[in-house]
Amino acid sequence: MKWRNWVIPAAALALLATGCESTPGAEAEPTVSPSTSGARSVARVCADPAAGPTKAPKGAVTVDPAKVGDLAAKTKSNPPKTTFWLRPGKHRLDPDRYAQIIPKKGNRYLGAPGAVLDGRKTNRYAFGGTADDVTIRYLTVQRFVAPPDEGVVNHDSADGWVIEHATIQKNSGAGLMAGARQRVRASCLRDNGQYGMNAYKAHGRISGLVVEGNEIVGNNTGDWERRRKGCGCTGGIKFWAVNGADVRGNWVHDNRGTGLWADTNNNDFRIEGNVLEANDGAALIYETSYNAVVRKNTVRRNNWVEGRRYADRGDNFPFGTIYLSESGGEPRVRARTDKIEVYQNLLENNWSGITLWENADRFCNSPANTSSGDCTLLVKKTDRCARPAIKKAPLYSDCRWKTQRVDIHTNRFVLDKSVVKCTAKCDRMALLANYGTYPDWSPYMGERVAEAITRKQHNRWHDNVYVGQWKFVAHDPSKVLDFGQWQSTPYEQDKGSTSRPRAGD
């Protein structure tokens, strides 16, 4: 579907005009097609939202903003599959903090131009309940105060909801939750306290999620990672245990922290044609998850805040702007691909590039597993991953979330340190693990995991283009390589790739 608010950024077109040419006398670079590397459509929907119907559709129930609680009352008194048309103006719920709209199956909520549902910093939730197949279009939902980890729209993660041409902004918690078969399209998820959307279902997995053509900007205004150090509880969007998601054509920018973060047993993602830019942290984290395609995205100016914070405190960990942590391809988990493939992306002036990481101490039933209580999709029952069985096949392998079968190719990596304003540690591409030490019964002690991720788990870069001064980290954080060492034995990465400095470097 083509959204009327999409435009092609001039900067991307300028890069294409100049970026893929070989310098005179230089070795020919791998071809990166202009149609797939830089011309990314941007969903500029926050500044120019689509307008809803100016008159009530035939058969619709009209909702009056002058009557407090009118929308909730009329929802309660009308049958399923009713269409509600909200007049222009600010619509309010009763002042009780738990007052909310509880839709019935198949209900449709359409906002007229200027229709706003305002929680007045009093109501916790806008739309809740478990009814399936609810549609919300052309409506602004703002100033609700959901608690941390909870959401304002689709609070109870009901299935089959459609959110289109909506503006969900200035709420606490998550602006939006998600259920199975949910469609979020051409909407503005802006300036929410924790997440733009929290794709989490308390009981069961989410499947068939589509996030298309949205602008996701300025979220995590509450700066929750500082308030709950190490919580992993923020992002423009956070995905938990989602089985099948298409995330395409979105503009994810200027979020405090990570842009898109998939955490714990996600599978079968396609992340394509997005513009991910100027997020304080990584553009994309794919963590303890499986099987994904990341392609044809423009990724620029991300990770400047968090990457610099790591460097300034003396941390030598290469925290990448695309960060794959304990995640890889697994043929035994059904998906549209059996690997993680990252290709035909443009990464420009981010703090570092792509990091493939595996924590030797993090596995199912380990105290070092921050996703406590969760096991891999291959084992599921946590207590099986215990000694002595974990020391032998198949549990030795299956109790780990492994960074394996990752294929990184035909991407363009551009770094100008004068733009990023750094001299070191912002130039890393990495494939590494730590030295296993914990717990004392772990079968993954020492360099076993570092050896596996580096040489045995089919992770490879090839046919990429590097512009600028790049360094490469392999095996562990202490091994920092130049391009020639990265391509040579024993690592043998980036076959068919080229590297050249920018003019003036």
Side-chain angles (χ1 to χ4, degrees), residues 317-367:
F317 184 82
F319 182 33
T321 202
I322 293 179
Y323 181 32
L324 306 183
S325 176
E326 295 90 26
S327 293
E330 177 48 74
R332 291 173 291 173
V333 176
R334 185 175 179 180
R336 290 167 289 182
T337 182
D338 62 1
K339 58 185 176 180
I340 292 182
E341 190 172 13
V342 183
Y343 69 100
Q344 293 182 351
N345 301 285
L346 170 65
L347 280 78
E348 180 192 17
N349 290 330
N350 302 284
W351 188 283
S352 289
I354 298 176
T355 290
L356 273 57
W357 160 256
E358 192 170 330
N359 183 344
D361 299 330
R362 187 179 188 183
F363 54 93
C364 177
N365 206 29
S366 168

Side-chain angles (χ1 to χ4, degrees), residues 4-6 42-50 140 165-169 186-192 213-219 251-253 255:
R4 67 178 184 87
N5 292 308
W6 287 9
V42 175
R44 299 182 182 274
V45 294
C46 292
D48 185 21
T140 294
H165 303 293
T167 297
I168 303 174
Q169 64 181 9
S187 293
C188 171
L189 308 181
R190 174 172 60 187
D191 296 337
N192 295 289
N214 305 284
E215 184 173 353
I216 302 154
V217 53
N219 296 289
W251 187 19
V252 185
H253 66 102
N255 294 284

Side-chain angles (χ1 to χ4, degrees), residues 14-21 29 412 465 467 500:
L15 276 170
L16 289 173
T18 60
C20 292
E21 299 174 359
E29 295 178 348
R412 185 174 184 83
V465 172
V467 180
R500 63 180 174 84

Side-chain angles (χ1 to χ4, degrees), residues 134-154:
V134 172
T135 297
I136 299 170
R137 290 192 175 106
Y138 307 110
L139 182 62
T140 294
V141 180
Q142 65 182 29
R143 300 205 307 159
F144 286 79
V145 286
D149 303 323
E150 298 186 37
V152 169
V153 175
N154 196 10

Side-chain angles (χ1 to χ4, degrees), residues 36-37 40 295-297 342-346 409-411:
T36 58
S37 68
R40 303 291 183 261
R295 64 183 177 186
K296 303 180 183 180
N297 302 284
V342 183
Y343 69 100
Q344 293 182 351
N345 301 285
L346 170 65
H409 65 91
T410 53
N411 302 286

Side-chain angles (χ1 to χ4, degrees), residues 174-461:
L176 175 63
M177 300 297 285
R181 307 184 315 281
Q182 183 157 300
R183 305 288 187 265
V184 185
R185 292 183 169 127
S187 293
C188 171
L189 308 181
R190 174 172 60 187
D191 296 337
N192 295 289
Q194 190 176 7
Y195 307 102
M197 182 170 75
N198 185 12
Y200 170 77
K201 196 175 181 73
H203 304 289
R205 288 163 65 79
I206 295 171
S207 61
L209 179 63
V210 174
V211 183
E212 180 178 21
N214 305 284
E215 184 173 353
I216 302 154
V217 53
N219 296 289
N220 187 26
T221 59
D223 200 6
W224 280 95
E225 299 292 339
R226 284 184 179 245
R227 295 166 71 174
R228 293 181 178 176
K229 189 172 179 60
C231 71
C233 62
T234 58
I237 300 181
K238 190 79 184 274
F239 304 89
W240 310 84
V242 174
N243 185 31
D246 292 292
V247 183
R248 56 183 177 244
N250 303 284
W251 187 19
V252 185
H253 66 102
D254 294 285
N255 294 284
R256 176 178 280 172
T258 303
L260 302 174
W261 190 344
D263 187 356
T264 310
N265 287 339
N266 296 279
N267 175 52
D268 195 13
F269 271 53
R270 290 197 174 186
I271 301 168
E272 55 189 352
N274 304 284
V275 174
L276 311 174
E277 65 179 334
N279 297 289
D280 285 358
L284 169 65
I285 298 177
Y286 205 69
E287 180 178 0
T288 54
S289 294
Y290 302 87
N291 302 324
V293 172
V294 181
R295 64 183 177 186
K296 303 180 183 180
N297 302 284
T298 294
V299 183
R300 57 194 174 201
R301 302 192 308 278
N302 296 281
N303 205 23
W304 286 15
V305 174
E306 294 190 6
R308 196 179 312 277
R309 187 180 299 147
Y310 268 70
D312 287 348
R313 72 189 186 197
D315 195 325
N316 68 343
F317 184 82
F319 182 33
T321 202
I322 293 179
Y323 181 32
L324 306 183
S325 176
E326 295 90 26
S327 293
E330 177 48 74
R332 291 173 291 173
V333 176
R334 185 175 179 180
R336 290 167 289 182
T337 182
D338 62 1
K339 58 185 176 180
I340 292 182
E341 190 172 13
V342 183
Y343 69 100
Q344 293 182 351
N345 301 285
L346 170 65
L347 280 78
E348 180 192 17
N349 290 330
N350 302 284
W351 188 283
S352 289
I354 298 176
T355 290
L356 273 57
W357 160 256
E358 192 170 330
N359 183 344
D361 299 330
R362 187 179 188 183
F363 54 93
C364 177
N365 206 29
S366 168
N369 176 26
T370 54
S371 299
S372 57
D374 288 291
C375 202
T376 69
L377 293 181
L378 300 174
V379 178
K380 299 184 181 179
K381 291 185 178 180
T382 302
D383 58 4
R384 291 186 61 203
C385 295
R387 57 183 178 185
I390 194 174
K391 294 183 177 182
K392 298 180 181 179
L395 293 181
Y396 179 84
S397 176
D398 292 352
C399 287
R400 291 197 64 81
W401 291 273
K402 290 189 288 188
T403 303
Q404 63 178 8
R405 299 173 60 84
V406 179
D407 189 3
I408 300 168
H409 65 91
T410 53
N411 302 286
R412 185 174 184 83
F413 302 106
V414 178
L415 178 63
D416 184 340
K417 291 183 180 180
S418 68
V419 173
V420 183
K421 294 182 172 58
C422 68
T423 57
K425 296 186 179 179
C426 63
D427 53 3
R428 307 299 164 90
M429 205 74 58
L431 174 64
L432 77 164
N434 58 327
Y435 191 90
T437 61
Y438 181 77
D440 59 7
W441 53 270
S442 169
Y444 313 109
M445 293 288 192
E447 296 185 352
R448 295 181 182 186
V449 174
E451 286 291 314
I453 188 175
T454 307
R455 305 181 189 181
K456 301 175 182 178
Q457 291 180 180
H458 308 288
N459 299 311
R460 66 184 191 127
W461 279 253

